[in-house]
């Protein structure tokens, strides 16, 4: 991932990861965290290190002799050891006497593969530096279709370019499978190799765009410091804004500019969340003063690209069960626009597009049966890469939200100890668990539904908006960061982004009642039943987003309620807790 430890020493069958601070007499927090991260990265992503004992070592060459105590974690990764110029031989001898799962041989360790699963922020930074997607993603057989998907999209673009055609392709994927990564890869690789294509990644997800841009800009400034090039933050922000853009800014630009667009390749992330005709018309009338706007967002966006006199390609990334807001069009609007206005466009679609998780409207299913649509198996991403320890997490979450105890229990059993999921009714205990699990710079945070209004007595204020840049990017010393476990992110804040360890806070807006989910919204001073099937779907999808944000594990907090408070009696929570426990989720002891 573009970072490199100073030295790896394999001795006595143990892996020592060594970071030197030459000329330093102090052991600062950042340096300790850095070497810990190296050790954890090897444990998680380097085959030769999976069952190895790994000891992170920080050496400050001007430090006096330092006493240390070697403590191994349950996975064989030791807490960081800080020593001065001397002490390494004592450490090796002490480590050699510790019981361990397996000894490592140097040649085998060095020859084994490195298969990282980066966060979306790390992936964006690597792709922006012109790394290939194969360098930054797992290469095991179960995850190879990320590369196959990228290759298929590239082939569609090249064919369109060669034949002077206009094309649109629909890519599907389970939560965390790498849809955004595939989209960023297309935008980055095309922009690097073919300057005249001006490929761009577009998203209507404001927090995702904000966080990615900020991360790329910060990284560019830091890289400039390393290379001796002075790059201002504003210049860095200006440059990265050409790579990642807000879809609404793109739309507004071409509302005012009727000319041929600058971009030949555009990637729309979470394309199913584009607006319906009604939602787009209301917005244009109220916010842009356009009384006669009568197009859905998909129809307008395809129309912009259709202005090209030669070729262009649109890539639509479609998430399963990800519509979470009023006015989101789903797939149908894209297909209707192509069928009714842009019939000369070539359409390429994932073979899974007709699945109910991706296409909820029957008319869209009918449109997908058109012989003009070319289906491709490799336009579907089936394996979750976010949860590198639990590929069946999305299946487990779907079973829970389907109310299927048997399937949920089976899916959870398949996760084993690789991906811990726990239940608690005490928020302080949940926070302690998160703090105890996270090591190095592994990110923790609390998440809750945007409808979780009655978590407020527990100290969880969903109406208090987070600052996405600070929450997702700042370190554990910043009170605005997710690490502090004070500010909570809702589904709108965190969709498309992720944490290592999540505290999922469950309120009475989605509650189990006699074996079925009951849907509620808090209005004024009381809960009201949600009758609309569409709004019920949005609420289920909100919880689907929240339950699939953690890469390494999560704890679910469900309050006890208060018999004196009619807005949160214990009955609103108890059946939900019992249902999840019945799905096999153990209680925190």
């Amino acid at each position: 991932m573009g970072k490199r430890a100073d030295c790896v020493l394999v001795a006595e069958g143990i892996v020592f990861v060594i970071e030197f601070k030459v000329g330093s007499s102090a052991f600062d927090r950042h340096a300790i965290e850095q070497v810990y991260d190296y050790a954890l990265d090897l444990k998680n992503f380097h085959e030769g290190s999976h069952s190895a004992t790994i000891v992170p070592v920080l050496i400050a060459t001007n430090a006096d002799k330092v006493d240390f105590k070697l403590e191994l974690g349950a996975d064989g990764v030791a807490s960081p050891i800080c020593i001065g110029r001397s002490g390494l031989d004592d450490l090796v001898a002490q480590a050699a006497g510790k019981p361990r799962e397996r000894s490592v041989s140097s040649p085998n360790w060095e020859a084994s593969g490195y298969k990282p699963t980066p966060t979306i922020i790390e992936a964006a930074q690597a792709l922006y530096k012109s790394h290939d997607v194969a360098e930054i993603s797992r290469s095991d057989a179960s995850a190879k279709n990320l590369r196959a998907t990228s290759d298929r999209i590239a082939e569609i673009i090249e064919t369109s370019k060669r034949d002077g055609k206009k094309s649109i392709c629909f890519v599907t994927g389970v939560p965390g499978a790498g849809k955004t990564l595939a989209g960023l890869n297309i935008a980055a690789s095309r922009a690097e190799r073919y300057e005249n294509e001006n490929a761009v990644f577009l998203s209507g997800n404001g927090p995702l765009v904000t966080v990615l841009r900020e991360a790329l800009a910060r990284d560019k400034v830091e890289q400039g410091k390393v290379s001796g090039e002075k790059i201002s933050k504003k210049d860095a922000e200006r440059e990265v804004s050409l790579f990642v853009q807000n879809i609404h800014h793109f739309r507004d630009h071409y509302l005012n500019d009727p000319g041929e667009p600058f971009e030949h390749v555009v990637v729309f992330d979470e394309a199913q969340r584009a607006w319906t005709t009604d939602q787009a018309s209301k917005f244009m009338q109220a916010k842009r003063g356009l009384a006669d706007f009568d197009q859905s967002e998909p129809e307008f966006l395809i129309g912009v690209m259709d202005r090209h006199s030669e070729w262009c390609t649109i890539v639509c990334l479609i998430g399963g069960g990800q519509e979470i807001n009023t006015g989101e069009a789903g797939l149908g609007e894209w297909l209707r626009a192509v069928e009714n206005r842009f019939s000369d466009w070539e359409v390429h679609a994932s073979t899974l597009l007709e699945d109910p998780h991706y296409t909820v409207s029957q008319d869209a299913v009918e449109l997908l049966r058109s012989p003009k649509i070319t289906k491709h198996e490799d336009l579907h991403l089936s394996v979750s890469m976010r949860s590198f320890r639990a590929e069946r997490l999305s299946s487990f979450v779907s079973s829970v939200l389907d109310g299927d105890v048997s399937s949920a229990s089976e899916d959870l059993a398949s996760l084993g100890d690789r991906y811990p999921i726990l239940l608690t009714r005490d928020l302080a205990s949940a926070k302690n668990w998160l703090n105890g699990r996270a090591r190095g710079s592994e990110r923790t945070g609390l998440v809750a539904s945007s409808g979780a209004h009655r978590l407020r007595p527990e100290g969880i204020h969903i109406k208090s908006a987070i600052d996405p840049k600070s929450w997702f990017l700042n370190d554990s010393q910043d009170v605005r960061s997710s690490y502090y476990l004070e500010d909570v992110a809702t589904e709108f804040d965190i969709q498309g982004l992720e944490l290592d360890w999540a505290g999922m806070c469950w309120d009475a807006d989605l509650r189990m009642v006699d074996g079925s989910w009951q849907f509620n919204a808090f209005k004024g001073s009381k809960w009201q039943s949600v009758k609309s099937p569409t709004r019920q779907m949005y609420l289920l999808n909100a919880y689907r987003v929240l339950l699939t944000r953690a890469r390494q594990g999560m704890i679910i907090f469900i309050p006890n309620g208060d018999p004196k408070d009619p807005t949160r009696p214990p009955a609103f929570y108890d059946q939900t807790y019992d249902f999840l426990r019945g799905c096999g989720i153990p209680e925190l002891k």
Side-chain angles (χ1 to χ4, degrees):
M1 294 304 303
K3 296 175 182 176
R4 183 173 297 165
D6 288 338
C7 176
V8 177
L9 171 67
V10 179
E12 302 289 348
I14 297 166
V15 178
F16 298 85
V17 185
I18 304 173
E19 182 69 15
F20 290 94
K21 295 304 175 186
V22 178
S24 175
S25 58
F27 304 99
D28 67 77
R29 180 187 56 82
H30 177 75
I32 294 171
E33 196 172 86
Q34 179 185 7
V35 73
Y36 211 171
D37 284 347
Y38 288 148
L40 293 167
D41 188 75
L42 285 174
K43 171 62 71 170
N44 290 329
F45 305 126
H46 181 247
E47 282 185 316
S49 300
H50 287 337
S51 57
T53 296
I54 305 177
V55 182
V57 186
L58 178 62
I59 299 178
T61 60
N62 284 7
D64 296 330
K65 183 174 175 60
V66 182
D67 293 328
F68 60 83
K69 182 180 180 183
L70 182 61
E71 296 178 345
L72 295 178
D75 60 354
V77 178
S79 298
I81 299 294
C82 298
I83 57 176
R85 185 181 293 270
S86 63
L88 186 57
D89 50 354
D90 292 341
L91 173 60
V92 172
Q94 188 179 132
K98 292 277 186 181
R100 54 186 181 273
E101 182 179 342
R102 183 173 67 88
S103 290
V104 174
S105 73
S106 180
N108 291 341
W109 183 90
E110 191 174 3
S112 59
Y114 176 65
K115 300 172 180 178
T117 303
T119 67
I120 192 58
I121 292 168
E122 292 168 334
Q125 290 170 336
L127 290 169
Y128 194 64
K129 295 173 191 167
S130 303
H131 284 273
D132 187 87
V133 71
E135 296 177 298
I136 63 164
S137 65
R138 285 166 32 191
S139 55
D140 49 304
S142 62
K144 278 184 178 171
N145 72 329
L146 175 60
R147 184 54 189 261
T149 301
S150 296
D151 288 346
R152 176 66 70 186
I153 297 170
E155 178 190 302
I156 292 168
I157 294 172
E158 286 300 323
T159 301
S160 301
K161 191 175 184 180
R162 184 192 66 218
D163 299 341
K165 301 278 189 180
K166 295 169 184 174
S167 60
I168 183 168
C169 52
F170 297 96
V171 179
T172 56
V174 300
K179 297 181 299 296
T180 301
L181 176 55
L184 286 167
N185 179 56
I186 286 295
S189 60
R190 304 303 297 188
E192 181 198 357
R193 295 175 198 166
Y194 311 99
E195 286 186 15
N196 61 332
E197 288 183 7
N198 303 307
V200 65
F201 177 87
L202 300 173
S203 176
N205 183 337
L208 176 67
V209 172
T210 297
V211 171
L212 287 180
R213 280 186 171 183
E214 177 72 10
L216 292 173
R218 289 186 188 184
D219 194 53
K220 191 165 184 63
V221 170
E222 287 303 312
Q223 291 300 313
K225 289 178 182 176
V226 171
S227 64
E229 179 185 5
K230 189 173 182 181
I231 301 172
S232 74
K233 182 79 177 297
K234 285 208 172 296
D235 286 343
E237 289 170 344
R238 193 175 302 114
E239 183 179 316
V240 302
S241 68
L242 298 175
F243 174 50
V244 178
Q245 293 184 29
N246 190 301
I247 194 171
H248 303 309
H249 297 167
F250 177 88
R251 177 203 63 204
D252 289 352
H253 175 81
Y254 287 110
L255 269 173
N256 299 315
D257 180 356
E260 192 170 306
F262 180 65
E263 302 84 359
H264 275 82
V265 176
V266 292
V267 180
F268 292 127
D269 193 31
E270 299 292 358
Q272 79 283 354
R273 297 187 62 196
W275 288 345
T276 60
T277 301
D278 187 48
Q279 182 73 11
S281 298
K282 283 180 183 174
F283 177 85
M284 291 300 181
Q285 185 172 342
K287 302 294 185 181
R288 299 292 182 267
L290 299 175
D292 57 349
F293 190 91
D294 63 348
Q295 301 177 63
S296 68
E297 211 168 30
E299 184 179 358
F300 176 75
L301 293 168
I302 298 174
V304 168
M305 297 305 291
D306 194 56
R307 298 175 192 174
H308 277 291
S309 56
E310 297 177 340
W311 72 279
C312 66
T313 298
I314 293 175
V315 179
C316 292
L317 308 176
I318 309 289
Q322 299 287 293
E323 299 94 335
I324 58 175
N325 208 0
T326 303
E328 293 179 352
L331 178 65
E333 292 286 0
W334 290 95
L335 295 171
R336 276 189 289 276
V338 173
E339 176 79 8
N340 298 334
R341 278 197 56 198
F342 308 103
S343 56
D344 58 325
W345 280 55
E346 294 188 345
V347 183
H348 301 265
S350 154
T351 51
L352 264 287
L353 209 53
E354 292 177 40
D355 186 282
H357 284 106
Y358 303 101
T359 306
V360 293
S361 62
Q362 189 56 40
D363 62 333
V365 172
E366 295 296 328
L367 288 168
L368 281 169
R369 292 173 181 156
S370 167
K372 293 191 292 186
I373 298 178
T374 305
K375 304 286 180 63
H376 304 271
E377 285 188 11
D378 46 17
L379 288 183
H380 176 68
L381 293 158
S382 60
V383 178
S384 175
M385 291 180 56
R386 173 180 299 127
S387 308
F388 56 88
R389 292 181 173 174
E391 292 169 357
R392 290 187 66 179
L393 176 65
S394 61
S395 176
F396 166 73
V397 170
S398 291
S399 296
V400 167
L401 296 178
D402 288 343
D404 188 339
V405 172
S406 176
S407 295
S409 300
E410 185 181 323
D411 290 330
L412 186 63
S414 75
L415 302 183
D417 297 329
R418 298 189 313 279
Y419 189 96
I421 302 176
L422 293 170
L423 274 171
T424 185
R425 308 203 76 166
D426 181 72
L427 184 59
S429 297
K431 291 181 178 181
N432 287 336
W433 185 85
L434 290 168
N435 288 327
R437 298 296 303 204
R439 296 175 293 178
S441 62
E442 290 176 348
R443 186 165 288 274
T444 59
L446 298 178
V447 299
S449 155
S450 58
H453 292 275
R454 295 312 293 146
L455 291 178
R456 185 167 181 173
E458 305 287 343
I460 297 169
H461 303 265
I462 54 96
K463 281 193 170 183
S464 179
I466 66 167
D467 169 25
K469 291 187 286 190
S470 301
W471 202 85
F472 284 103
L473 298 175
N474 291 7
D475 68 21
S476 59
Q477 304 305 297
D478 192 319
V479 296
R480 299 167 298 173
S481 75
S482 66
Y483 292 107
Y484 256 71
L485 304 178
E486 292 182 358
D487 297 325
V488 62
T490 71
E491 68 272 20
F492 299 113
D493 300 315
I494 204 166
Q495 188 173 41
L497 292 160
E498 57 217 342
L499 299 163
D500 287 295
W501 303 93
M504 162 61 193
C505 305
W506 202 303
D507 200 11
D509 51 340
L510 183 67
R511 65 183 86 139
M512 182 59 66
V513 178
D514 298 332
S516 299
W517 288 116
Q518 189 180 92
F519 307 89
N520 302 275
F522 195 76
K523 302 290 184 183
S525 62
K526 62 183 180 180
W527 291 103
Q528 295 180 0
S529 180
V530 173
K531 302 296 186 185
S532 161
T534 300
R535 289 182 60 208
Q536 290 179 359
M537 177 191 72
Y538 290 154
L539 184 51
L540 276 179
N541 287 346
Y543 274 79
R544 190 185 316 278
V545 167
L546 297 169
L547 289 164
T548 54
R549 292 307 98 189
R551 285 161 57 83
Q552 301 197 51
M554 68 175 157
I555 188 164
I556 300 173
F557 160 63
I558 299 179
N560 284 305
D562 183 351
K564 299 176 184 175
D565 185 344
T567 67
R568 53 190 194 99
F572 282 6
Y573 303 98
D574 289 347
Q575 286 193 47
T576 303
Y577 192 84
D578 291 341
F579 166 75
L580 294 175
R581 197 170 52 177
C583 290
I585 304 178
E587 296 176 281
L588 177 67
K589 301 299 183 185

